[in-house]
Amino acid sequence: NRLTVDLNNIKKMSTAQLDKVKANGSQAEALLANKSFAQFIHTFKFERLDQLADINGHTDVDNTTRIALANQIAGIDEFIKSLRRAVYFKDKIVTQQNEPKL
């Protein structure tokens, strides 16, 4: 039951779908504001960066390990972007719903 949201379909969404997007955005906002969550994310990224810095060779295994670590770092960055996107859509919907009707 995945809900796909983009700026072009917000006005076409049902009230239930809008409520789901707002709830999802609120949950994402709570995660982003959670200091413990942020600490775990930063710790994860620093551990991966330390592992990346510890690779000195250029063998196939070393290069494959570099790629894997880089993908993990990119993945966590994309996860954070998805949380920010959820908050953005929630804010956009709330703004549209609070606009005076003409």
Side-chain angles (χ1 to χ4, degrees):
N1 238 1
R2 189 173 148 247
L3 184 61
T4 303
V5 182
D6 65 42
L7 290 177
N8 295 323
N9 71 357
I10 287 178
K11 292 186 179 184
K12 300 174 189 171
M13 295 174 80
S14 69
T15 304
Q17 289 174 321
L18 292 173
D19 289 344
K20 188 174 180 180
V21 171
K22 289 192 298 186
N24 188 38
S26 294
Q27 292 170 345
E29 194 168 31
L31 277 176
L32 289 170
N34 185 315
K35 291 182 183 194
S36 296
F37 177 74
Q39 184 64 42
F40 279 110
I41 294 294
H42 289 301
T43 300
F44 176 84
K45 287 175 71 173
F46 288 134
E47 286 172 354
R48 296 308 172 269
L49 290 170
D50 287 344
Q51 288 175 329
L52 199 55
D54 288 342
I55 301 171
N56 294 323
H58 293 284
T59 66
D60 287 342
V61 172
D62 290 337
N63 290 336
T64 303
T65 303
R66 270 191 200 89
I67 292 168
L69 291 169
N71 285 337
Q72 289 177 14
I73 294 167
I76 201 71
D77 286 341
E78 286 301 313
F79 175 68
I80 297 300
K81 284 180 190 177
S82 73
L83 292 175
R84 289 182 179 148
R85 191 171 34 256
V87 172
Y88 172 78
F89 283 128
K90 179 202 77 151
D91 291 343
K92 199 71 163 163
I93 288 170
V94 169
T95 300
Q96 282 183 357
Q97 289 178 338
N98 291 334
E99 287 178 352
K101 307 284 187 216
L102 297 177

